[in-house]
Amino acid sequence: MTDVARVAGVSLKTVSRVVNGVATVDQELAERVHAASAELGFRANFAASALRSGSSTATIGLLIKDLSNEFYANIASAVAVVAKAHHTQLITAHSGENAEDELEAIFDLCRRRVDGLLIVPTGGDHSALKSEIDLGIPMVFIDRKPVGLAADSVVLDNFAGARDAATRLINDGHSRIGILVDTLNMATMRDRLQGVRTAFAEAGLALDDSLVVTNVRGPIEASIEVDRLLASSAPPTAFFCGNNRSGIGVLRSLWQRGTNEALVSFDDFQLSELMPRPFTVVRYDNRALGTISAELLFRRINREVFDPTTVVLPTELCDRGITGLRGPQPQASQRARCT
Amino acid sequence: MTDVARVAGVSLKTVSRVVNGVATVDQELAERVHAASAELGFRANFAASALRSGSSTATIGLLIKDLSNEFYANIASAVAVVAKAHHTQLITAHSGENAEDELEAIFDLCRRRVDGLLIVPTGGDHSALKSEIDLGIPMVFIDRKPVGLAADSVVLDNFAGARDAATRLINDGHSRIGILVDTLNMATMRDRLQGVRTAFAEAGLALDDSLVVTNVRGPIEASIEVDRLLASSAPPTAFFCGNNRSGIGVLRSLWQRGTNEALVSFDDFQLSELMPRPFTVVRYDNRALGTISAELLFRRINREVFDPTTVVLPTELCDRGITGLRGPQPQASQRARCT
């Protein structure tokens, strides 16, 4: 940088400000710095300065799965707000489909010298990350606890949310409920299924395992399962969906069929209140998953000492969709309109 | 790494595989490597190796605004797929609210030694980036062309899309159309407004400027404008919205009012086909903005030489929402159902 300053005929401070993109630098001075930089092939390099100083990089990393799902996008958006408030750059990396890709992506972020990591894990074992935490990169896990590792996490009360959902359907008179969940490799799905089973047990009802469908990946798969289950000799009169993707698929199917099966789905989604038939969501503060996790991470980065902690966010049932538009309507003992 | 291998009593290759998170490493060997790493305070460091070799980092950066808007989230998701196919890590950074924050975030990504950058610009001047491109970091701009800089970009045909939309409304008999657009600091909004103006001119109609509202930021602001315009002495009989956020606000207002004003909005959105009243979107391949940009960037990274190029993606009108549910319905000369 000293060479750039000399060639450009400006102060070192001016070079630094130009390199850091400070907009208040005089335009002519900035151009001289750019010209000198190009002449000298100079490029400011965070890596070099971080290696020299061993200091904070004012950067945190977020490892996340699929941004095209608004559940993940809302988490990322909320984390970005907290990072900005802490004058910290956020870099987001995308985990792959499997546990091996995920670990690789986490180690990659660590090598980029972030001050801390937020991870939405897809599954698999996280014990290999202990050495990174010991070396001073704190990690907070979002939506799912780490496996084989003591670290902070912020999760939903999946069990209670699912139990409430199933209890609501049972109270509305349903005993045959189609249960559509994603892979049971995810603790979230196991906890949600267990919540449903508990609601049935508490009501003294048997859950027909032929109505429990696992590995439902998306809306299309969910629609196919609706058709299959409703074509059976003892069809369900209601559905429980383990996430927004299958919920959307079931909702679309039921609307197209024009029938009155009830539906409760985990995860609220954009414009759910304008869906053309009533249903219920297991709602929670989606952005808070990101906000609280990021705040926990900054406490760790600031060397605050406390035991590994798990924050559990509550859920609530909210009725969505428009009632009375067409055909028979699901019956409900009560309606809970939330915002 | 040699020291870690010695202390752990394993080969250098095993250390490398553990550090890189390869899951097929024997668990006991991996634990020995982790213990030795912790003992020696060793952390693999991309920065160090990049400085040594000056070689590719197999990383690209994406600068994007607000992931909670599905338009941006879909771009990011599509870019992630292309990056993965090129065995390249994607890191996403979040631009701030203004041009200064944006430049700062871009320079920050450059300092992290990415092989190339994808940028969804928010506005402002990009000439300060020329030195980075000259130093070998290619950049492709998404959705909006760079200002003051010759670089590749992938954009929508905003002018034609808006002209088609307004022409459709005019052909359906509307001459008083409320025009709701975001800030005209964005070229996309200027082009869309110009498309509307051209459609009016082509039809020999005057566009009442009192019906043109700029700086409409989101759904709530759009709803307020609907109420204001419809309460005027010469209210519009149709609305054109410059993006999905205002489109959603207008749609919700019109549904709640139960009136039959027509609506065409730029940007399709999730579940638009299940909205409880008919409307039309200016649709395009949202993910292609990310896919084509990323493919262009990899051509640049692979040293392919070609003039700065602008790819313009076409738009089409698609009718959305459910017809005939309640109240008076908008009249339409034709319906164009798309997938």
Side-chain angles (χ1 to χ4, degrees):
Chain A
M1 292 223 311
T2 318
D3 291 338
V4 174
R6 186 178 43 75
V7 171
V10 300
S11 71
L12 198 57
K13 185 169 162 58
T14 301
V15 176
S16 171
R17 291 172 73 213
V18 172
V19 162
N20 286 292
V22 177
T24 50
V25 178
D26 180 84
Q27 186 61 31
E28 193 226 315
L29 289 184
E31 276 165 19
R32 273 154 60 188
V33 171
H34 289 137
S37 298
E39 190 182 328
L40 295 168
F42 165 82
R43 183 182 304 140
N45 194 311
F46 241 178
S49 57
L51 280 176
R52 273 198 301 277
S53 66
S55 63
S56 162
T57 56
T59 306
I60 61 170
L62 168 66
L63 186 83
I64 210 154
K65 197 179 168 194
D66 177 17
L67 285 172
S68 67
N69 184 333
E70 67 180 281
F71 171 76
Y72 298 107
N74 284 333
I75 290 172
S77 174
V79 168
V81 171
V82 177
K84 191 178 171 67
H86 285 262
H87 307 290
T88 294
Q89 182 68 30
L90 170 66
I91 59 177
T92 307
H94 303 260
S95 55
E97 292 299 303
N98 55 50
E100 185 173 340
D101 286 356
E102 178 179 312
L103 275 183
E104 195 171 329
I106 293 171
F107 280 114
D108 178 85
L109 280 170
C110 291
R111 284 192 294 270
R112 288 173 200 282
R113 298 187 64 89
V114 290
D115 295 335
L117 274 182
L118 296 164
I119 299 168
V120 184
T122 54
D125 185 87
H126 299 100
S127 54
L129 299 175
K130 184 167 186 308
S131 57
E132 295 294 331
I133 294 180
D134 291 345
L135 286 171
I137 301 188
M139 301 183 189
V140 177
F141 288 75
I142 306 178
D143 191 42
R144 298 149 207 160
K145 294 179 203 174
V147 176
L149 183 72
D152 302 322
S153 57
V154 180
V155 300
L156 303 174
D157 195 345
N158 294 297
F159 175 83
R163 186 172 67 169
D164 290 350
T167 298
R168 161 78 177 271
L169 290 171
I170 291 167
N171 288 343
D172 285 347
H174 300 284
S175 57
R176 293 191 61 76
I177 305 176
I179 313 292
L180 276 58
V181 292
D182 201 340
T183 170
L184 295 183
N185 289 340
M186 293 196 289
T188 44
M189 289 299 148
R190 291 196 300 274
D191 291 348
R192 291 172 192 183
L193 183 53
Q194 192 53 42
V196 170
R197 288 193 186 282
T198 299
F200 270 79
E202 286 170 343
L205 289 172
L207 174 59
D208 181 349
D209 274 322
S210 74
L211 297 180
V212 177
V213 189
T214 60
N215 297 308
V216 180
R217 291 304 171 110
I220 293 168
E221 292 81 355
S223 290
I224 292 169
E225 292 303 327
V226 167
D227 290 342
R228 188 179 66 80
L229 291 173
L230 289 181
S232 69
S233 58
T237 60
F239 290 90
F240 168 86
C241 289
N243 63 29
N244 58 2
R245 297 190 303 286
S246 59
I248 285 168
V250 173
L251 183 76
R252 188 181 278 126
S253 274
L254 295 181
W255 163 254
Q256 285 164 351
R257 300 173 74 99
T259 50
N260 72 339
E261 291 81 10
L263 166 64
V264 184
S265 176
F266 237 91
D267 306 327
D268 201 1
F269 52 88
Q270 176 179 277
L271 295 172
S272 60
E273 79 281 9
L274 284 181
M275 291 295 102
R277 113 195 258 291
F279 68 111
T280 301
V281 297
V282 180
R283 205 195 75 85
Y284 47 84
D285 190 340
N286 191 169
R287 293 184 67 89
L289 281 169
T291 305
I292 295 172
S293 302
E295 284 167 354
L296 260 179
L297 184 67
F298 279 107
R299 287 174 59 195
R300 291 283 181 200
I301 289 171
N302 293 329
R303 309 285 167 97
E304 202 177 314
V305 176
F306 52 97
D307 284 339
T309 183
T310 300
V311 177
V312 180
L313 299 185
T315 67
E316 61 175 340
L317 296 179
C318 293
D319 291 318
R320 298 301 195 203
I322 300 164
T323 53
L325 284 183
R326 182 179 90 180
Q329 301 285 314
Q331 297 210 331
S333 53
Q334 51 179 23
R335 299 284 292 170
R337 289 237 156 233
C338 314
T339 51
Chain B
M1 291 222 314
T2 319
D3 292 336
V4 173
R6 184 176 45 75
V7 171
V10 300
S11 71
L12 199 56
K13 186 168 162 56
T14 299
V15 175
S16 171
R17 291 171 74 214
V18 171
V19 163
N20 285 293
V22 176
T24 50
V25 178
D26 180 83
Q27 187 61 29
E28 193 225 314
L29 289 184
E31 277 164 17
R32 273 155 60 188
V33 170
H34 290 136
S37 298
E39 188 183 329
L40 295 168
F42 165 82
R43 183 183 303 140
N45 195 310
F46 241 179
S49 58
L51 280 176
R52 273 197 301 274
S53 66
S55 64
S56 160
T57 56
T59 306
I60 60 170
L62 168 66
L63 188 83
I64 209 153
K65 198 179 168 195
D66 177 17
L67 286 172
S68 67
N69 185 333
E70 68 180 281
F71 171 77
Y72 298 107
N74 284 332
I75 290 173
S77 173
V79 168
V81 171
V82 178
K84 192 179 170 67
H86 285 262
H87 306 291
T88 294
Q89 182 68 30
L90 169 66
I91 59 177
T92 306
H94 303 259
S95 56
E97 293 299 303
N98 55 50
E100 184 174 340
D101 286 355
E102 178 178 312
L103 276 183
E104 196 173 326
I106 293 171
F107 280 115
D108 178 84
L109 280 171
C110 291
R111 283 192 296 270
R112 289 173 199 283
R113 298 187 65 89
V114 290
D115 295 335
L117 275 182
L118 296 164
I119 298 167
V120 184
T122 54
D125 185 86
H126 299 100
S127 53
L129 299 176
K130 184 169 185 307
S131 57
E132 294 294 331
I133 295 179
D134 291 346
L135 286 171
I137 300 189
M139 301 183 192
V140 177
F141 288 75
I142 306 179
D143 191 45
R144 298 150 207 161
K145 293 180 202 174
V147 176
L149 183 74
D152 302 321
S153 57
V154 180
V155 300
L156 301 174
D157 195 345
N158 294 298
F159 175 83
R163 186 171 68 168
D164 291 350
T167 299
R168 161 76 178 272
L169 289 171
I170 291 167
N171 287 344
D172 285 347
H174 301 283
S175 57
R176 294 190 60 75
I177 304 176
I179 313 293
L180 276 56
V181 293
D182 202 341
T183 170
L184 295 182
N185 289 340
M186 295 197 288
T188 44
M189 290 298 147
R190 292 197 299 275
D191 291 349
R192 290 172 192 182
L193 183 54
Q194 193 52 43
V196 170
R197 289 192 186 282
T198 300
F200 271 80
E202 287 170 344
L205 289 172
L207 175 58
D208 181 349
D209 275 321
S210 73
L211 297 180
V212 177
V213 188
T214 59
N215 297 309
V216 180
R217 291 303 170 110
I220 292 169
E221 292 82 354
S223 290
I224 292 168
E225 292 302 327
V226 167
D227 290 341
R228 187 179 66 81
L229 291 173
L230 290 181
S232 69
S233 58
T237 60
F239 289 91
F240 167 86
C241 289
N243 64 29
N244 58 4
R245 295 189 304 284
S246 57
I248 285 169
V250 173
L251 182 76
R252 188 181 278 128
S253 275
L254 295 180
W255 163 254
Q256 285 164 351
R257 300 174 74 97
T259 52
N260 72 339
E261 290 82 10
L263 165 64
V264 185
S265 176
F266 239 90
D267 309 324
D268 201 2
F269 52 89
Q270 175 180 279
L271 296 172
S272 61
E273 79 280 10
L274 285 182
M275 291 294 102
R277 107 193 265 290
F279 68 112
T280 300
V281 296
V282 180
R283 206 195 74 85
Y284 48 84
D285 190 341
N286 192 171
R287 293 184 66 89
L289 281 168
T291 306
I292 295 172
S293 301
E295 283 165 354
L296 260 178
L297 185 67
F298 279 108
R299 288 173 58 195
R300 292 282 180 201
I301 289 172
N302 293 328
R303 311 286 166 93
E304 202 177 315
V305 176
F306 51 97
D307 285 339
T309 183
T310 299
V311 178
V312 180
L313 300 185
T315 67
E316 61 175 339
L317 295 179
C318 293
D319 291 319
R320 298 302 194 202
I322 301 164
T323 53
L325 283 184
R326 183 178 89 178
Q329 301 285 313
Q331 296 209 332
S333 54
Q334 51 181 20
R335 299 282 294 169
R337 288 239 154 232
C338 313
T339 51

